[in-house]
Amino acid sequence: MARWTGEWLPGTGDGSTAAGPREAPKWRGESMGLPESGVGAVASGGPRFLALVLDLVLASLITALFVRYDLQNAAAMQTFNLWAGAVWAVITVIPVTFFGFTPGMAALGIRVARLDGATMVGAWRALVRMVLTALLLPPLVRNADGRNWLDRATNTVVIRMR
C-alpha cells in the first residue's frame, strides 16, 4: 500500500500499476512526452526560483515609484509591503493568463504550459498558481517529473523556451 505521500517522494509508492511494475522515468517530463533537454523540456527548480525573486524585486521597484517606504517606520513599511504584494499578484496573474510567463520567467526563458495543449494558461489557473506560490510550501514539493503542487493542481508544467 502506498503511503500518503504517493508519488511525491521517491520510494514512497509501491511502484506498480495494473500492467505490472512501473519503470522509473529516465528524465523529468518523459511521462508527459516532453524532451530531455532544450526547448520544451521541464524547467529545473533554479530558474523557477530565480524568476520568482526577479518578479518580487520588480514588484518592489514598481511599488517604490508610488508608495513611500521608510525602513525606520513600521507602519510605512507595512503599507509598502502590502502594495508590493498586490503589484506582485498583478504582474504574476495577468501575464501568465495571457502569455504563460511572468517578467522574471521571460528573462530566464521559461514559461507555464498547459498539459492539454491549450495555448493560454487561463485566469483561474494563473490565480491558483499565484495563491499557492504565496503559500511557499506547494512550490517546494516536487515529483519525479519536476512538477510541484501548483503545477499538479492546475494541470500545467513549467518548460524551457530556449
Side-chain angles (χ1 to χ4, degrees):
M1 175 185 255
R3 293 187 343 204
W4 69 272
T5 53
E7 69 172 354
W8 289 102
L9 298 173
T12 57
D14 62 2
S16 62
T17 63
R22 187 174 17 152
E23 187 176 317
K26 294 179 179 88
W27 64 83
R28 290 176 298 132
E30 178 186 25
S31 64
M32 296 175 285
L34 299 175
E36 184 174 2
S37 62
V39 175
V42 175
S44 64
R48 292 176 70 152
F49 176 73
L50 189 54
L52 173 63
V53 170
L54 289 174
D55 290 334
L56 291 170
V57 168
L58 179 62
S60 294
L61 292 173
I62 292 170
T63 304
L65 295 173
F66 301 102
V67 178
R68 184 180 75 77
Y69 66 94
D70 180 5
L71 297 176
Q72 303 302 318
N73 184 344
M77 287 310 298
Q78 183 177 14
T79 301
F80 179 85
N81 289 336
L82 287 172
W83 279 107
V87 169
W88 173 76
V90 169
I91 67 172
T92 299
V93 173
I94 293 174
V96 169
T97 297
F98 295 107
F99 308 113
F101 51 81
T102 66
M105 292 173 118
L108 295 171
I110 59 177
R111 72 180 299 269
V112 179
R114 285 179 50 174
L115 290 179
D116 62 7
T119 55
M120 285 181 38
V121 173
W124 79 266
R125 284 180 173 86
L127 185 63
V128 168
R129 290 181 62 83
M130 184 272 302
V131 169
L132 290 176
T133 300
L135 295 176
L136 295 180
L137 180 62
L140 298 176
V141 182
R142 299 185 188 285
N143 67 3
D145 279 324
R147 294 175 66 213
N148 54 31
W149 285 353
L150 51 115
D151 293 329
R152 301 268 308 192
T154 58
N155 200 31
T156 58
V157 64
V158 177
I159 59 173
R160 295 175 52 189
M161 292 191 296
R162 52 181 180 230

